[in-house]
Amino acid sequence: MSAPGPSPQLASRTRGERAEQHPADVQLVGVRKRFGGVVAVNDVSVEIPRGTIFSLLGPSGCGKTTTLRLVAGFEQPDAGEVYIRGARVTSMPPYRRDFSMVFQSYALFPHLTVAQNVAFGLRMRRVARGDRARGVDEALELVKLRALADRYPRQLSGGQQQRVALARAIVVKPAVLLLDEPLGALDKLLREEMQVELRSLQQRLGITAVFVTHDQEEALTLSDRVAVMRNGVIEQIGAPREIYDRPRNAFVASFLGASNFIDGVVVAREAASIVVETPGTRISVPGDKAAGERVRIAVRPERLRMARTDAHGLPATIRDIVYRGPVTHFYLDSASGPLLAYQQNARAGDWTIGDEVRCAWDADSAVVLDGARE
Amino acid sequence: MKAALSAGSMLRGTATTIAFALIVVPILIVVVAAFSPNDYFQFPPPGFSLRWFVEFFGLQTMRDAFVLSIELALASATIATILGTLAALFLARRHGAIAALLQSLFLAPLVFPTLILGVALLLLYKTIGMPVFPGLLLAHCIVGMPYGFRTVLASAQALDPALEEAGQSLGADPLRTLFLVTLPLIWPGVLSGWLFAFIVSFGELNTALFLTGPGVTTLPIEIFSYLQFTGSQLVIAAASSVQIALIVILVAVIERVVGIARITRAR
Amino acid sequence: MKSAWGWFLLAPPLVLALVFFVVPLVYLFWVSLHASSTSELYGAALTLRNYSDVLADSFYLTIVRRTLGVAAVILGLCLLIGYPVAYFVALLPVRRRMLAILLLLFPLMVSNVVRAYGWVSLLERRGVVNSTLRDLHLIDAPLDLLYTPSAVVIALMTILLPYMVISIANTLAALDRRYQEAAQALGASPLRTFLHVTLPLSTPGIASGTLLVFLLTLSAYVTITLLGGPRSKLLVSLIYDSVTAFQWPRAAALAFVLLALALAFTGLILALLRPGRVQGAGR
């Protein structure tokens, strides 16, 4: 499943080069895990290069958390191998593996102070008292919580607890930092702030991190690479822009935000693109498919441009207009089914419900999906 | 309608008053009687005296029984709580038929007629030649184990499983995770389990009835034999009051250390 | 690794429970199937005589019937008094409810021999009841209150009553008040709300209270002996007497008759009340 997507061979090659420069800190090879009759993780193989953030993104029950717990060693795989910094750790218990983790519930020890919580991992590694105190100080400085070192977790706000959990995890300088929905319990504003902070901290320290989330915006903001998972299988791996702009199938396209799907039949092949006949019009899309094949095309709503009926494009009628502040959402009906368009700077009176329009987009904004119908 | 309602609440109030009186009066009577100056208990008491307490501690058999009961309760509560804690930690995160079976096994002595356990153990001990004190100690461990097991199980199941995983993720092996993370957090459960096991052992009759021997007798059994063979004398009231006083102190300790809510939930 | 740790936790308590709980009971059952012996603990021959003797002998049957009768009366009284008390306690505000339950719990921690002695000193010929009645000139000669079946019933009932009250009160207190409100909103009178909603929802508490009271009645040897005297023997007294007479197979068989009664009653209560049906309805 880690094979590159249809068009971005280029991107995959650059990835390969990067992987050579920086050896993989985490590697999963053909990992499988089932719980009773349910396959939680099915033949997953990934490589996570040093110093990058890798996100596992998917709906609940897709196997992303199980994958993370397989790296940690809280679960043992039924098949496959797990490597951390090149060492095979598949059958090694968690406490011998070189990682640390930020838990969804933070799991701060309630009977220990902030400083004692942060010192815990250093204590386990038998770091001398003086070095330990210095390490704790530095880590708390990084998350700007030195002033609260002697408080107990229950005396802190959610955001502060989150930072302590982060400090506790980075102070041991792990080969890989695992984060299990670490921002899930925070409110939206704080979450966005922490995303930026987490990213800058990770880059400053050069940490390798695996990040589990069900929030696609979070994955796109934070990650160097994202793996979209469903039913225990990785549907697509790539850089955020790549999986957003060039989703391989309808699931990836719709999980990462809204998408318009247009069905049609290939009528002609050109140099690097194909021409697709749809109920409303003919569309040229980058891709390589045989003539006569039925295909599904995806176009992001923000790439859809609306023009007056004299322009070229897919004919549609405005069914509804929803004003959302920075953008306006247009709900359209077309011969290819309902469409959605986002427009910035749309002024009141530009368009009204019932208007006939033509929808168009740049040729490279459209993507041909795998598996014609889902 | 209104009449029915108030009749109902009057009935409940009356029943409650009578019930509490019936439950508490026999215990109060014993305490009051223990301070009698007379040879026989008179109500209301004509005065106040500690002579029966002096007599209680003066009787070698009573004193020995009291000391033995305390030693027995200390030892059996400690062993029972350690073992109950181990069992609870094992079962806290396990489900399924075997886990359910084990849980019933560890809780069984709570409802099992302990008199029969006493008979069965005496028979076993006679067959294998078990000395009196260790035999009694093991019996009280069996009887006390469910208390530690139950309170620790409740505490352990209420614990966020991520806390133990966090310990392991930071490099603590299972034993260090147990001592540095789990035990400090379930400590109130362990402590209240221990106190219950102590109290139960201290007042236990049904196995001790069979398993005590000449010179190795617990206070409740000594009181029982005294009542049966010497008759109801006020030294028994003093012995009983000592029993009651110790329990009052222990309950106060539990209340101070772990709070009233844990006591009322533990049974 | 994980399983080694598991065994480290499980092995000590499991070994204790098996060796000193399960094994002695199996051994006791084995002995109950043997003839008695004057020189050994039990004879060599396998036999069912011990059981057939108990079931055929009218003396034993009388005692079994008396045991069940006493247990039934105690149980009935505990339910009759315990339910309204539990209801009262359950309706108290949290803090006062806990205090009430603590007050009920405390007597359970005091040894039964002490509580039985309390009743002895109330009921004996020179006891508090007789002397008070005499002071009030209601009686001339002391009444023989002690060493009667009624003394056993009253003492044992009050000793065990807290179990019933606490079991039911905890269930009632955990009940979601909205069930009752829903019933009343549907037009049920307070009485019908109680009969059709509250009472059925409190069956788990009733069941556990009933089982505790019944099982503890069966093995309350000390209370029965101190208050019943030699004339009011129950099944446990016979077990004790057989042990002191070194009739091990007989004692073992009587013990299993008692266990069978306990088991049958437990099955009956669970079948009748089916507490599992509404278990956890309050949460």
Side-chain angles (χ1 to χ4, degrees), chain A residues 44-331:
Chain A
V44 162
S45 298
V46 289
E47 268 183 36
I48 301 163
R50 181 157 302 173
T52 61
I53 294 194
F54 183 87
S55 285
L56 290 161
L57 173 67
S60 61
C62 71
K64 57 191 193 298
T65 296
T66 306
T67 307
L68 192 78
R69 293 171 63 81
L70 285 163
V71 176
F74 296 134
E75 309 291 350
Q76 307 289 319
D78 299 325
E81 301 288 353
V82 181
Y83 297 86
I84 295 179
R85 286 250 162 102
R88 199 170 72 90
V89 297
T90 315
S91 53
M92 201 182 265
Y95 53 89
R96 297 237 205 91
R97 299 189 183 192
D98 189 4
F99 77 100
S100 63
M101 184 154 170
V102 176
F103 293 82
Q104 188 170 13
S105 60
Y106 311 143
L108 295 179
F109 304 126
H111 59 300
L112 302 180
T113 63
V114 167
Q116 287 168 335
N117 261 286
V118 177
F120 191 94
L122 298 176
R123 243 171 100 196
M124 293 306 110
R125 285 162 174 75
R126 301 202 158 75
V127 173
R129 194 174 293 266
D131 297 339
R132 212 195 291 166
R134 215 167 308 123
V136 171
D137 257 9
E138 278 171 22
L140 286 177
E141 184 66 55
L142 278 174
V143 297
K144 305 182 200 101
L145 278 181
R146 265 182 74 173
L148 303 181
D150 295 323
R151 298 261 184 103
Y152 283 91
R154 62 175 175 278
Q155 298 170 304
L156 305 182
S157 71
Q160 290 167 337
Q161 290 184 15
Q162 212 282 327
R163 286 157 198 263
V164 176
L166 192 60
R168 183 175 72 174
I170 59 176
V171 73
V172 297
K173 302 198 166 53
V176 54
L177 175 64
L178 307 180
L179 303 117
D180 184 9
E181 308 234 5
L183 309 177
L186 304 179
D187 62 53
K188 192 174 186 306
L189 229 71
L190 200 54
R191 193 159 68 222
E192 285 172 2
E193 197 182 307
M194 280 305 296
Q195 284 168 8
V196 175
E197 206 166 315
L198 198 61
R199 182 71 170 144
S200 77
L201 199 63
Q202 179 267 336
Q203 284 174 339
R204 243 185 307 158
L205 301 175
I207 298 177
T208 311
V210 185
F211 191 96
V212 160
T213 181
H214 65 267
D215 180 336
Q216 77 278 0
E217 255 179 65
E218 196 163 281
L220 297 177
T221 312
L222 271 172
S223 324
D224 294 298
R225 286 211 298 154
V226 178
V228 182
M229 285 188 80
R230 178 171 60 157
N231 298 335
V233 169
I234 294 181
E235 296 279 356
Q236 188 172 358
I237 294 188
R241 181 170 286 280
E242 184 182 321
I243 60 162
Y244 184 78
D245 284 344
R246 311 229 70 83
R248 256 175 56 184
N249 55 36
F251 172 76
V252 175
S254 51
F255 194 76
L256 284 133
S259 217
N260 292 301
F261 297 117
I262 300 159
D263 294 328
V265 181
V266 179
V267 288
R269 293 173 66 180
E270 287 162 15
S273 62
I274 51 175
V275 177
V276 178
E277 173 85 46
T278 73
T281 184
R282 285 188 168 203
I283 301 167
S284 175
V285 200
D288 187 14
K289 296 271 176 188
E293 213 177 315
R294 297 193 61 86
V295 292
R296 173 169 280 194
I297 295 163
V299 184
R300 294 283 177 200
E302 67 271 20
R303 300 295 175 94
L304 214 65
R305 286 194 309 270
M306 295 190 305
R308 299 290 172 192
T309 44
D310 46 347
H312 189 71
L314 189 63
T317 315
I318 299 179
R319 173 161 39 93
D320 207 352
I321 303 175
V322 178
Y323 176 67
R324 303 268 304 232
V327 290
T328 306
H329 293 192
F330 293 85
Y331 293 87

Side-chain angles (χ1 to χ4, degrees), chain B residues 1 5 12 15-16 19-20 22-23 26-27 29-30 40-41 43 83 86-87 90 102 105-106 108 111-113 115-117 119-127 130 138 141-142 145 174-175 178 196 199 203 205-206 209-210 220 223-224 227-228 232-234 236-237 240 243-244 247-248 251 260-261 263-264 267, chain C residues 5-6 8-10 12-14 16-17 19-22 24-25 27-28 31 41 81 84-85 87-88 91 95 98-115 117-122 124 126 128 158 161-163 170 190 212 215 219 221-222 225-226 236 239-240 243 248 255 258-259:
Chain B
M1 176 97 158
L5 213 78
R12 288 200 296 270
T16 306
F20 273 87
L22 286 174
I23 292 166
I27 297 172
I29 284 287
V30 170
Y40 289 99
F41 179 49
F43 193 82
L83 297 186
L86 293 179
F90 178 81
L102 284 171
L105 175 67
F106 291 131
V111 288
F112 190 84
L115 186 117
I116 291 174
L117 177 65
V119 175
L121 280 174
L122 178 60
L123 185 60
L124 181 76
Y125 291 169
K126 277 198 177 301
T127 310
M130 172 77 84
L138 284 163
C141 288
I142 291 286
M145 198 159 75
L175 202 64
L178 174 65
F196 270 103
I199 288 168
L205 286 164
N206 285 344
L209 200 56
F210 296 100
I223 294 175
F224 177 58
L227 278 171
Q228 262 194 309
S232 159
Q233 291 181 7
L234 290 180
I236 294 302
S240 302
Q243 239 258 345
I244 294 168
I247 292 163
V248 170
V251 170
I260 185 172
I263 313 176
T264 52
R267 273 256 178 187
Chain C
W5 176 245
F8 168 78
L9 293 174
L10 179 63
L14 186 61
L16 183 81
V19 176
F20 293 99
F21 185 56
V22 177
L25 292 173
Y27 182 46
L28 189 70
V31 169
L41 289 173
I81 301 175
V85 175
Y87 205 103
F88 182 85
L91 289 179
R95 190 77 202 167
M98 285 198 182
L99 276 174
I101 289 183
L102 188 64
L103 200 62
L104 289 165
L105 205 52
F106 177 74
L108 297 181
M109 302 181 186
V110 174
S111 182
N112 278 1
V113 72
V114 171
R115 303 180 67 196
Y117 167 65
W119 277 106
V120 169
S121 59
L122 278 168
E124 64 189 339
R126 274 188 295 195
V128 178
T158 55
L161 184 58
Y163 286 109
N170 280 341
L212 272 171
L215 296 175
S219 60
Y221 173 75
V222 166
T225 308
L226 288 180
V236 266
I239 298 177
Y240 185 85
V243 170
W248 282 106
L258 190 142
L259 271 186

Side-chain angles (χ1 to χ4, degrees), chain C residues 94 98 116-117 130 177 214 235 248 257 282:
Chain C
V94 183
M98 285 198 182
Y117 167 65
N130 270 322
R177 273 298 193 27
F214 185 84
L235 193 49
W248 282 106
V257 169

